[in-house]
Amino acid sequence: MKIAILKERRPHETRVAASAETVKKFSDLGAEVCVEKGAGQGSSIPDAEFKEAGATIAATAADTVSGADIVLKVQRPMIAGEKEDELSILSSGQSLVCQMNALTDEKFVDAMAKAGITGFAMELMPRISRAQSMDVLSSQSNLSGYKAVLDAASEFGRAFPMMMTAAGTVPPARVLVMGAGVAGLQAIATARRLGAVVSATDVRPATKEQVESLGATFVAVEDEEFAQAQTAGGYAKEMSDAYKEKQAALIAETIAKQDIVICTALIPGRPAPELIDAKMVASMKPGSVIVDLAVESGGNCALSQLDKVVQKNGVKIVGHANTPSRVATDASRLFAKNLLNFLSPLIDQENGAFNIDMEDETVSGTLVTRGGEIVHPMLTDAPEPAAEEVADEEPADTPEEEVAATAD
């Protein structure tokens, strides 16, 4: 069996879907691994390192995927009408494993089905205990939360911790984290380590304990709707307009007192919710900083702009694109390990076959296209599993708990 690793060609994307470690382990499983020349350059992984681990290096993308059974990427291939048509070099029957934005990118999913590609969307990995080591959203969000705080610190004109000096006392920075998922919890932990006074808000009641365990103050309107604001899979539900109004009033009051706001709130398959409007930005002190990690999905801040740092009313609003790529070496290593953990159980070491076991929830949960058809229940008319079935799963050790366990 041949596994192909392609170079990423999208703007701002410096990650790669393999590491020397995963290449070696795929080789130990009996697979032939082929890496496109320069694929690891943006992640500081030279071709020689891949070659030493057992990979062959191909000069072009077409040579890399030629004869491959499985093709690995970080982001989905571009299609006709985009910067270049990457999908065209793949052949019918090959399996593609990457992040696809499958719930919102209908054109790509259709193109992949028409091309006969078997597609696995890693962002759809089910949140069960066994799949935690395969969860690319968690591994990448963890680094995004860390980097967001460092980006805020680099734009902030003051220090983070309280400092008592002979010349006077420097007060600690006040940081509000909006959204207490994996990225938010890591942002809390990082800001606390830097000495800030941290508070956080989220519509999911389960996050309150996690936020407080990291030493931050929880900010939310805790009414009856709040108590029901989380899906069985651990994601935030869309809240009513009435709740949003009450929450916005509380946030408006809170945000005016902050020096830094880190925005991380996302809803799978939907545009990012707007949490900070222009009036809230205007209420902040000059020199304050907002970092919007949701900017690629529309943004949590009404004034953020993709891949720009803008200044409004003296407030800096940071909207860097593809934050995980800003720590590409570690992001690539973790992403590659997620893919290895997903694929290893599906590779038969005796005959080198790639076994697509539909009884495996990690397979059925991520499989988007097969045999020229779109097969994922969230993209077809097939019924989704009942909430009760999901709830009956053994509780997973969530990525949020993992962050809490490693925080100071």
Side-chain angles (χ1 to χ4, degrees), residues 97-100 102-103 120-139 233-235 268 335 337-346 360-368 376 378 390 396 399:
V97 185
C98 62
Q99 290 189 114
M100 295 180 181
L103 297 183
F120 295 89
M122 291 300 290
E123 75 274 9
L124 299 181
M125 185 64 64
R127 288 200 160 181
I128 58 176
S129 182
R130 185 169 61 84
Q132 185 173 328
S133 66
M134 312 171 192
D135 190 345
V136 298
L137 294 182
S138 293
S139 71
Y235 294 102
F335 191 97
K337 192 65 177 290
N338 292 146
L339 300 188
L340 173 70
N341 292 337
F342 170 60
L343 291 171
S344 292
L346 308 178
D360 188 328
E361 289 177 271
T362 67
V363 173
S364 60
T366 57
L367 184 64
V368 174
H376 198 283
M378 295 179 74
V390 179

Side-chain angles (χ1 to χ4, degrees), residues 9 43 72 79 91 147 159 165 181 191 199 208 227 232 256 269 281 311 327 346 366 369:
R9 287 171 165 77
S43 300
L72 305 184
I79 59 176
S91 303
K147 185 60 174 174
T165 74
S199 56
K208 179 179 180 180
V281 175
Q311 192 159 339
V327 279
L346 308 178
T366 57
T369 58

Side-chain angles (χ1 to χ4, degrees), residues 199-347:
S199 56
T201 181
D202 196 292
V203 297
R204 297 169 298 162
T207 61
K208 179 179 180 180
E209 183 178 347
Q210 295 164 350
V211 165
E212 292 176 345
S213 73
L214 293 172
T217 302
F218 190 69
V219 180
V221 175
E222 299 184 46
D223 59 9
E224 290 184 8
E225 185 175 359
F226 174 78
Q228 305 296 324
Q230 185 169 323
T231 69
Y235 294 102
K237 289 182 180 177
E238 181 75 21
M239 305 299 283
S240 70
D241 289 341
Y243 183 89
K244 289 178 181 177
E245 187 175 338
K246 290 187 289 185
Q247 180 74 352
L250 176 61
I251 295 303
E253 178 184 346
T254 304
I255 207 170
K257 305 172 185 176
Q258 306 302 312
D259 299 304
I260 291 169
V261 180
I262 310 290
C263 301
T264 73
L266 290 169
I267 301 174
R270 301 283 297 277
E274 184 181 302
L275 304 178
I276 302 176
D277 60 24
K279 289 183 179 179
M280 293 180 186
V281 175
S283 74
M284 297 182 73
K285 296 172 287 187
S288 300
V289 177
I290 298 171
V291 179
D292 193 346
L293 288 180
V295 67
E296 291 176 293
S297 296
N300 293 148
C301 177
L303 302 180
S304 61
Q305 296 181 33
L306 180 61
D307 198 34
K308 291 184 179 180
V309 178
V310 297
Q311 192 159 339
K312 303 290 183 180
N313 301 309
V315 177
K316 287 185 179 179
I317 306 171
V318 180
H320 292 309
N322 198 344
T323 300
S325 272
R326 294 169 59 77
V327 279
T329 301
D330 288 328
S332 296
R333 182 175 58 83
L334 296 181
F335 191 97
K337 192 65 177 290
N338 292 146
L339 300 188
L340 173 70
N341 292 337
F342 170 60
L343 291 171
S344 292
L346 308 178
I347 297 174

Side-chain angles (χ1 to χ4, degrees), residues 3-9 15-18 34-40 58 60-66 70-77 86-87 89-90 94 96:
I3 298 175
I5 316 295
L6 286 176
K7 183 178 181 179
E8 302 297 319
R9 287 171 165 77
R15 291 172 292 176
V16 62
C34 184
V35 179
E36 184 181 357
K37 182 179 180 180
T60 67
D63 290 342
T64 305
V65 302
S66 178
I70 302 172
V71 178
L72 305 184
K73 285 186 94 280
V74 176
Q75 296 199 50
R76 60 102 173 150
E86 295 180 279
L87 189 66
I89 65 170
L90 272 65
Q94 289 183 318
L96 172 66

Side-chain angles (χ1 to χ4, degrees), residues 186-204:
Q186 186 57 256
I188 292 168
T190 303
R192 287 275 297 156
R193 288 188 182 104
L194 291 178
V197 175
V198 185
S199 56
T201 181
D202 196 292
V203 297
R204 297 169 298 162

